[in-house]
Amino acid sequence: MTSEPLLVTEDMAAEYTGRPGVTIRRWAHEGRIHRHGSGRGRVRYDLWSLPRKTRDELTGEITPGAPPPLPEGRRAA
């Protein structure tokens, strides 16, 4: 069963993961997450391929989502 991609903007992806937008772009460049479209303001990311941030219920501290794994044979930028 394949789920349809849920496409979100860079800002939404950054908020969901607890990471800055530059990290989202780097992950896409490295092939860690799925990117759709091209051009300024037109790129979308598949929410299902993004790691979700967590928030501690007592302190409210946010822990960013862990980096997705690199594809086989790829190196980090």
Side-chain angles (χ1 to χ4, degrees):
M1 181 174 143
T2 304
S3 62
E4 291 291 320
L6 178 58
L7 303 179
V8 296
T9 65
E10 179 183 309
D11 290 339
M12 294 170 80
E15 174 63 29
Y16 182 81
T17 62
R19 304 280 184 155
V22 67
T23 300
I24 303 302
R25 290 190 305 271
R26 181 174 48 83
W27 285 350
H29 176 74
E30 293 171 347
R32 293 177 188 249
I33 61 175
H34 301 243
R35 174 185 157 179
H36 301 270
S38 63
R40 177 172 242 150
R42 295 186 183 148
V43 175
R44 299 293 183 264
Y45 300 92
D46 183 4
L47 188 69
W48 306 132
S49 68
L50 299 173
R52 187 175 188 164
K53 70 181 177 190
T54 57
R55 182 184 304 267
D56 186 283
E57 292 181 18
L58 297 176
T59 65
E61 183 178 332
I62 294 174
T63 302
L70 281 166
E72 190 73 29
R74 298 284 306 258
R75 291 180 24 194

